[in-house]
Amino acid sequence: MSATLWTNIGELTTNVARDGDACGTLRDAAVLARDGLIAWVGSARDAPSPGSDTKVVDAAGRALLPGFVDSHTHLVFGGDRADEFEARMAGRPYSAGGIHRTVAATRAAGEGELRERLAGFLRELHRQGTTTVEIKTGYGLTADDEERLARLAAEVTDEVTFLGAHVIPQEYAEDRSGYLDLVCGPMLERCAPLAKWIDVFCEDGAFTGVEARLVLEAGVARGLAPRVHGNQLGEGPGVALAVGLGAASVDHCTFLSDADVGLLAASDTVATLLPGVEFSTRQPYPDARRLIDAGVTVALASDCNPGSSFTSSMPLMIALAVREMGMTVAEAVWAATAGGARALRRSDVGAIATGTKADVLLLDAPTRTHLAYRPGVPIVAAVWKDGEPAA
Ligand code: NIG
Ligand code: FE
């Protein structure tokens, strides 16, 4: 049995809504965790007295919040594409074509190299407060390579997404239907046992709405749950497809019609916004205000990948969402924690409440506002995952 009591918390974000405050904010609070789960939450003066097995953490008036839930990353890959970033900053537009370069580098990389790199990224994101991470395949695009990426991802997270339908690989450029058969057949067979989710990049230059539906339905038939990359580079069928299939999330949502917003608002599908992409591609940021005002559930995620967003920083996503996307600090912090949990259909993370996982982070700051107010400053002081120190 191990227990931790965090006390003297200046501002506690619980994400248990009360009195119109979705963040369920408590002041002068305390939290007790036992055996990896939250056991008690309340006012510091009512805190249970610590037993001999209890570690006491004096928060000294600082802010404590749920660990970030990064519901969209592509963390298993070889190489990088810094040259493309440089070219974009000089005025060249982003194109999905660069994915082929990462596919080549990933296929050429050894398994040990990919595993070590992934472990490095995980250390990086833990240090920045992320305690739950989703990881996609999608840079292998052969049955062997996709299975290898799914296996590596499954070594470090339960949230593995099969993204064989990322782009049509170059060797299938003249045979789209042949590649779709591979994705929906042998590749899916190999990856499904390792994955929870199926995703597809539904966009000009990747997969059409009709093709994307085919892939998602094959995944669902094989026991995977759907999510969609859509509406990143222009309006398109991604949102309608995701909502129609009851997908947990449609990610990017940069270009939306009024009909798309209406569909999302009437659904359980989360709109996951990825502002690292707009930062790194100079595209316009998605309009989070429009979505939230329409009643859509919004999540924030990093989309960490070597092409469109090579950052794993959830604090940066919060800062960008507040500065560029019309979100309040409370909305952005909720979206990076509880919103990410909704996007992964999880109720055991993204909140600090009796029975949730003891995934928490302590800021070197009195309030969560400092996440946006002090952009680029490493204010995450300490992180616990399952009640144990993670960074
Ligand atoms: O989510 N949109 C598709 N896939 C990634 C980009 C991948 C890349 O450029 O390597 C994304 O932005
Ligand atoms: Fe992505």
Side-chain angles (χ1 to χ4, degrees), residues 24-237:
T25 313
L26 298 176
R27 317 241 171 241
D28 303 320
V31 174
L32 177 71
R34 190 172 287 288
D35 296 332
L37 299 178
I38 301 294
W40 183 91
V41 181
S43 168
R45 64 175 177 276
D46 302 330
S49 15
S52 56
D53 65 336
T54 307
K55 272 180 240 127
V56 178
V57 178
D58 182 355
R62 294 174 291 174
L64 195 88
L65 56 154
F68 299 125
V69 179
D70 191 348
S71 61
H72 183 143
T73 78
H74 307 245
L75 289 178
V76 205
F77 59 85
D80 71 42
R81 291 172 16 225
D83 53 348
E84 287 178 28
F85 174 76
E86 241 181 308
R88 283 199 300 277
M89 294 307 106
R92 185 150 337 141
Y94 173 77
S95 111
I99 293 171
H100 297 293
R101 295 178 64 205
T102 300
V103 169
T106 305
R107 288 177 181 174
E111 183 157 325
E113 180 187 341
L114 292 174
R115 183 180 286 111
E116 231 169 81
R117 194 137 188 241
L118 174 58
F121 289 137
L122 287 178
R123 282 194 295 276
E124 184 181 291
L125 44 100
H126 284 152
R127 274 202 303 274
Q128 298 172 93
T130 297
T131 48
T132 302
V133 65
E134 178 265 14
I135 303 177
K136 299 173 197 301
T137 69
Y139 290 122
L141 310 188
T142 67
D144 279 352
D145 287 297
E146 283 293 299
E147 190 202 359
R148 179 164 79 138
L149 301 191
R151 194 161 26 79
L152 287 166
E155 288 175 7
V156 299
T157 184
D158 296 334
E159 303 293 345
V160 177
T161 300
F162 170 49
L163 179 61
H166 198 182
V167 287
I168 302 269
Q170 277 159 336
E171 63 274 20
Y172 277 91
E174 305 307 321
D175 183 14
R176 294 183 77 81
S177 67
Y179 187 66
L180 284 163
D181 287 346
L182 175 64
V183 170
C184 299
M187 200 188 274
L188 175 62
E189 279 309 307
R190 300 270 295 275
C191 294
L194 297 158
K196 170 174 169 186
W197 304 99
I198 178 129
D199 194 349
V200 56
F201 185 18
C202 179
E203 198 87 35
D204 282 351
F207 293 87
T208 67
V210 172
E211 292 168 341
R213 172 181 292 279
L214 210 74
V215 171
L216 294 174
E217 286 178 344
V220 170
R222 194 63 186 71
L224 301 180
R227 44 201 318 110
V228 176
H229 274 75
N231 303 65
Q232 173 187 357
L233 305 173
E235 285 189 21

Side-chain angles (χ1 to χ4, degrees), residues 345-369:
R345 300 252 157 107
R346 297 271 298 266
S347 55
D348 60 333
V349 295
I352 297 179
T354 307
T356 64
K357 275 156 68 77
D359 293 352
V360 303
L361 68 100
L362 177 66
L363 296 184
D364 230 339
T367 65
R368 59 187 177 234
T369 302

